[in-house]
Amino acid sequence: LTRKQGSPAAIAIVYSDVMRRLLISGAVSFPVTMRLPSSPSALPTPQPITGMGREGVMVGEGLLLNTCSSDALVDILRHLKRAYWPFRWDTRLDPPSHGVHGSGGGFKAAAEALVNDSQSQDAFTLAVARTARHRLDRGIWTSSGAGDIRRARAACERLTALVGGVEGEFPSEDRDLAVILLHCGELGAAQIHLQTFFEALERDEEIGGGAEEVRLARALEEYIEICLKEGLPLEAPPPPPLALP
């Protein structure tokens, strides 16, 4: 906060929390929301919420309505998604000028690890896929040196709630959640999110990201059908609880 350096989304969330504490203590009488800049190198700016006082956001003792912009939450979740993604990330799909706006650079490698034959994959992708599958089969949800599939899934689930869905701004988040769910053995849930993505794709072909990404998404759909014909369960066993530090 002193240097005002860091991710604009992270700074916005920290500022929002500082404002929340000031509102709870009664030091200020008006809520603000933080507006994200268009450039990742600029700072967020506070904007008072007109027509609303302290009482309008208080919902209980020590509790406030969330006044942080959803854009900041989405950006933070995309940072977390990329940080924990357990497969290779294609940075060409996320140019620096967009920050983490693209958020789809991990889908291709994750999908290829499921649907492509071994000869068409590089050694790194194969190693990550085998390690993740080995650990998941034994109740371990982290892959050493290759992200954390459970936390990547959590970020993807929250992104679909915020910006996914057929009518959402980024239905491709449903596609990315689907491929992670498949690696977790959740065939039924993955099928639902893939169907959501395809319904959105019929409305706007540009959300697919490219012909190769769409081909892989279709291949995942076929992969699910094959798994169901082989009698694999729709749901995986419940995961162990997260180990908190």
Side-chain angles (χ1 to χ4, degrees):
L1 286 178
T2 303
R3 296 182 177 181
K4 296 183 180 179
Q5 292 180 349
S7 161
I11 293 174
I13 290 175
V14 172
Y15 273 145
S16 295
D17 188 63
V18 170
M19 193 65 185
R20 179 185 67 83
R21 294 167 186 256
L22 292 174
L23 279 168
I24 291 174
S25 67
V28 296
S29 59
F30 57 92
V32 300
T33 185
M34 300 298 297
R35 297 181 64 87
L36 289 184
S38 57
S39 169
S41 60
L43 292 173
T45 54
Q47 180 177 357
I49 302 177
T50 57
M52 183 177 290
R54 178 173 179 270
E55 295 76 14
V57 293
M58 296 289 294
V59 294
E61 187 172 349
L63 297 176
L64 294 176
L65 293 174
N66 177 38
T67 59
C68 184
S69 77
S70 60
D71 290 342
L73 298 176
V74 168
D75 269 12
I76 284 294
L77 287 169
R78 283 177 169 160
H79 279 296
L80 293 172
K81 171 185 173 181
R82 179 167 179 176
Y84 291 125
W85 194 259
F87 297 93
R88 187 188 299 277
W89 193 277
D90 187 351
T91 57
R92 294 173 297 177
L93 300 180
D94 299 299
S97 60
H98 291 171
V100 289
H101 175 78
S103 186
F107 171 74
K108 184 177 179 181
E112 286 177 342
L114 285 168
V115 302
N116 283 1
D117 57 64
S118 299
Q119 293 180 351
S120 62
Q121 298 182 42
D122 58 77
F124 177 86
T125 301
L126 280 174
V128 169
R130 289 171 180 167
T131 301
R133 183 74 265 167
H134 175 83
R135 288 170 172 255
L136 282 172
D137 289 343
R138 288 155 180 79
I140 304 171
W141 284 66
T142 57
S143 299
S144 178
D148 184 324
I149 196 170
R150 190 175 183 188
R151 287 176 172 85
R153 171 180 174 173
C156 289
E157 288 173 339
R158 286 155 179 79
L159 280 169
T160 58
L162 286 171
V163 295
V166 176
E167 303 288 343
E169 186 178 1
F170 294 100
S172 57
E173 297 293 352
D174 284 272
R175 176 203 65 189
D176 292 358
L177 174 57
V179 73
I180 284 293
L181 288 170
L182 284 176
H183 281 286
C184 295
E186 299 282 350
L187 298 179
Q191 192 174 40
I192 292 172
H193 284 284
L194 266 183
Q195 184 59 40
T196 298
F197 169 71
F198 289 133
E199 290 178 12
L201 191 63
E202 291 178 359
R203 299 164 61 95
D204 184 1
E205 294 182 356
E206 293 184 1
I207 68 166
E212 179 64 12
E213 284 78 7
V214 173
R215 182 193 71 80
L216 285 169
R218 295 293 182 188
L220 289 179
E221 189 176 41
E222 296 176 3
Y223 174 84
I224 293 175
E225 294 176 359
I226 292 172
C227 290
L228 294 178
K229 287 180 181 179
E230 292 179 353
L232 294 181
L234 286 174
E235 297 183 4
L242 283 172
L244 300 176

